[in-house]
Amino acid sequence: MTIAPSLAKEHQVAEQPLSQQPALRVERLDAKTLAALPAPQWDRLSQHCLTENPFLDRRHVLAALETIDKGKAVDALAFWSGDVLVGLFVFQARSKIPAPFPVANGLANDYLLNGTPLIDKDQADAVISHFLELVSDGKAPALWAFDDVDLDCAVFQRLRMQVSGRGLHWAVANPYERAYLTRLEGGLEAHLSQVLSKNRLKDVRRTMRRLGEAGRIELEHVEDEARLPGRLEDFLRLENAGWKGEMGTSFLSRAADAAFARQAYVAGLAAMDSLLLDGAPIAMKLSIRTGGTAFTPKIAYDEAYKKLGPGMALEYMLIEAFYASDRLDAVDAAATAEGHSALNFFNNHKSMATVIVGRRRWQVDLLVWLHQMRERLKLAVLKAKARLAALRAPKAASPSTAAATDA
């Protein structure tokens, strides 16, 4: 592997066209040197990449390394064309999938929901070719796993085209569908008639009417530096007050997770959309983006208004806002499993999966099997918990019922 000069030398954003830049070189980084990458270079790559991935935005990654991933052994391959950063593959050795051989797993945590590396759109073929050459020649890890990636996105379409030519192997594990919103030619009315079922549309209109009877409702969009931190705190409290807080999965359930949220979801990357009832948020949706697609990893609502359907109302109002403006090209539900509520409102889907690339076929096949076995085990555990909860529910209700009878 060709090692570039020390990161102590400041890399400036080159004004020279990338097509005239020197041949690519690559740096192998650890967590410390990754954090030292020049901010202008990383930011430029995030906004100029072939496939947008705000989860690998500098602010998102560095917030994780300082909080929830602090002390984690993280590495990266940084590809340079002259002094311009044109590729960034961030990975870790440890994974939820134990393997009997080394694996370069894409950086992962509970809030990183897209494992697509950042690759400059003007240098994509050169970066992918160089990356696969390193893997093939043994100058980079021999086995890679990219979690939660869109199989049809440009990065993985091009990656797959080049894999076989290098004598490498490609496989897919645990495919699922992710809800995805794009704009229909007929506008909002076409969306309502073609995407929402008649019963769903009736439910939405009934919900909007009931909320209107409860008070003044409006949709608020906040992304500026002055107001976003306050709305983020509102979101954290709202999420923690509901079932996620009870289950211990809210941001505020763990200090490191709360610190991550406050550092990662900042102006310039994040935005908050809120359904306000008489000026107070009763449903909120967090989004992040570095390009034309908004990714929405978190939603919360006030459970005191559960019967009024604030979550459904917020989804509907965001569809209206999407068609009323051309600021966004698309919205990605950013959910790592099927069955997300947005499936009822979004008109499209992405074919998601874990992509595994490696030098040895038997290792690729075994890693696919390990991923699939873990997924089956997880589903079995969830089903067992659901059955146990169903069995306990009548017993939990019996004492209160008896007390009411005695009274």
Side-chain angles (χ1 to χ4, degrees):
M1 179 185 297
T2 303
I3 304 298
S6 168
L7 285 174
K9 178 182 177 181
E10 182 71 15
H11 295 279
Q12 300 295 329
V13 178
E15 297 180 0
Q16 186 178 9
L18 289 178
S19 60
Q20 300 176 21
Q21 291 292 324
L24 298 184
R25 70 182 191 279
V26 63
E27 291 173 313
R28 175 75 177 257
L29 311 176
D30 58 16
K32 184 177 180 179
T33 50
L34 174 64
L37 274 178
Q41 287 292 340
W42 195 336
D43 293 346
R44 189 209 70 86
L45 178 60
S46 290
Q47 296 171 9
H48 199 260
C49 55
L50 181 63
T51 297
E52 179 186 3
N53 184 5
F55 295 99
L56 287 184
D57 178 84
R58 174 179 57 85
R59 291 154 291 192
H60 199 275
V61 172
L62 296 188
L65 294 181
E66 293 174 9
T67 56
I68 54 177
D69 289 331
K70 190 172 184 178
K72 179 185 286 187
V74 174
D75 294 280
L77 296 181
F79 293 83
W80 296 89
S81 176
D83 289 331
V84 180
L85 182 66
V86 294
L88 189 62
F89 291 64
V90 186
F91 60 98
Q92 62 190 45
R94 296 190 62 183
S95 168
K96 294 179 180 179
I97 313 295
F101 35 68
V103 181
N105 300 280
L107 180 62
N109 55 52
D110 289 340
Y111 310 111
L112 203 161
L113 308 174
N114 187 333
T116 305
L118 301 182
I119 299 176
D120 189 286
K121 59 186 176 183
D122 292 334
Q123 293 275 20
D125 289 332
V127 171
I128 291 171
S129 178
H130 198 167
F131 166 71
L132 294 178
E133 180 181 351
L134 295 173
V135 175
S136 179
D137 293 346
K139 296 178 182 179
L143 190 62
W144 290 73
F146 302 95
D147 289 333
D148 299 305
V149 300
D150 177 5
L151 296 176
D152 297 321
C153 77
V155 165
F156 284 94
Q157 286 288 304
R158 297 197 190 187
L159 185 68
R160 186 170 191 177
M161 289 174 62
Q162 292 198 36
V163 161
S164 59
R166 294 280 181 184
L168 299 172
H169 305 281
W170 162 291
V172 169
N174 300 329
Y176 65 95
E177 301 291 303
R178 176 180 287 182
Y180 186 57
L181 175 66
T182 55
R183 193 172 279 102
L184 295 178
E185 288 186 4
L188 178 62
E189 290 305 315
H191 189 99
L192 297 181
S193 62
Q194 296 177 28
V195 179
L196 274 67
S197 67
K198 290 183 179 180
N199 288 337
R200 173 63 63 181
L201 189 54
K202 287 181 181 178
D203 288 342
V204 167
R205 287 171 174 164
R206 186 183 306 114
T207 292
M208 300 302 294
R209 184 169 60 253
R210 288 176 177 174
L211 282 168
E213 293 169 354
R216 177 174 54 86
I217 61 171
E218 59 182 314
L219 178 66
E220 176 195 70
H221 178 82
V222 169
E223 59 181 77
D224 59 280
E225 191 172 356
R227 296 185 297 164
L228 183 59
R231 279 302 186 217
L232 178 61
E233 293 300 324
D234 291 336
F235 177 89
L236 297 179
R237 287 190 293 268
L238 197 63
E239 181 193 46
N240 196 57
W243 66 269
K244 291 182 181 179
E246 294 179 2
M247 296 291 290
T249 60
S250 67
F251 280 116
L252 290 180
S253 297
R254 295 178 292 273
D257 293 53
F260 165 77
R262 291 172 177 133
Q263 291 185 48
Y265 304 128
V266 294
L269 175 66
M272 189 72 70
D273 290 292
S274 304
L275 170 62
L276 305 181
L277 178 63
D278 292 331
I282 61 171
M284 308 181 78
K285 197 169 192 179
L286 173 70
S287 65
I288 58 175
R289 72 184 182 102
T290 52
T293 300
F295 293 73
T296 58
K298 283 284 187 174
I299 187 169
Y301 66 90
D302 189 336
E303 294 189 6
Y305 295 92
K306 184 176 181 179
K307 292 183 179 180
L308 295 179
M312 179 189 295
L314 178 58
E315 293 282 10
Y316 174 74
M317 294 177 77
L318 287 174
I319 296 289
E320 287 186 322
F322 176 73
Y323 277 97
S325 169
D326 59 359
R327 291 191 64 204
L328 293 176
D329 299 323
V331 180
D332 185 313
T336 56
E338 294 175 315
H340 191 276
S341 60
L343 286 171
N344 295 316
F345 291 88
F346 288 7
N347 63 302
N348 217 328
H349 68 268
K350 291 181 176 180
S351 298
M352 308 294 295
T354 294
V355 167
I356 298 170
V357 175
R359 288 205 303 267
R360 302 175 183 89
R361 167 57 68 184
W362 72 270
Q363 288 185 340
V364 170
D365 291 343
L366 179 55
L367 191 57
V368 168
W369 183 83
L370 291 171
H371 273 264
Q372 292 173 337
M373 288 304 103
R374 184 187 182 278
E375 187 67 15
R376 291 178 187 177
L377 178 61
K378 184 175 73 173
L379 291 175
V381 169
L382 290 175
K383 288 181 180 178
K385 287 183 178 180
R387 286 196 295 268
L388 184 60
L391 289 173
R392 288 178 174 175
K395 295 179 181 179
S398 297
S400 59
T401 303
T405 304
D406 291 341

